[in-house]
Amino acid sequence: QVQLVESGGGSVQAGGSLRLSCTASGRALSINAMGWYRQAPGKQREVVAEITLGGHTNYADSVQGRFTISRERAKNTVYLQMNSLKPEDTAVYYCNVRIGSAWRFDSWGQGTQVTVSS
């Protein structure tokens, strides 16, 4: 079982910045990738960014160039620096981890709310 705790959300005006954090904990964790997802009201959860053990990153087209994902392996922590925020970035943001070949989509944290006003 893995526990995920997100933090750092808030309310900002368009063009502002926020930095999200997420720490994973649990027994015998062997995390090889971490990622951020978001879910806006009435929409499905979507991937925002992922980072592998080796530091390779992937971003959704909608956040490319504005968001930066990073991680501290020793702390099992992943960050999401969000700049130039837009109202369409408003959502609850969640993190998740890949252990072995599988993302732990059966284990979500409480998420952190990001609200961007125009």
Side-chain angles (χ1 to χ4, degrees):
Q1 190 73 14
V2 59
Q3 291 80 44
L4 301 164
V5 179
E6 302 94 344
S7 63
S11 296
V12 297
Q13 291 190 327
S17 299
L18 286 171
R19 187 183 191 228
L20 308 183
S21 300
C22 171
T23 298
S25 61
R27 294 180 62 185
L29 288 184
S30 182
I31 297 170
N32 58 49
M34 302 184 80
W36 284 98
Y37 301 77
R38 67 186 181 187
Q39 187 166 19
K43 295 187 177 181
Q44 290 188 332
R45 195 168 299 182
E46 62 178 1
V47 61
V48 175
E50 298 172 338
I51 184 167
T52 68
L53 187 70
H56 181 72
T57 57
N58 285 312
Y59 295 93
D61 289 344
S62 58
V63 307
Q64 182 77 46
R66 301 187 297 121
F67 291 10
T68 303
I69 189 170
S70 60
R71 65 182 288 185
E72 285 190 71
R73 289 174 53 182
K75 296 182 179 181
N76 286 334
T77 297
V78 63
Y79 305 98
L80 187 68
Q81 177 65 45
M82 305 186 296
N83 298 328
S84 302
L85 282 161
K86 303 176 180 179
E88 51 264 43
D89 295 318
T90 295
V92 179
Y93 284 70
Y94 303 87
C95 71
N96 209 280
V97 297
R98 188 177 70 197
I99 299 174
S101 62
W103 288 90
R104 299 304 303 271
F105 293 147
D106 56 336
S107 300
W108 294 99
Q110 82 288 350
T112 186
Q113 176 71 48
V114 172
T115 303
V116 185
S117 58
S118 58

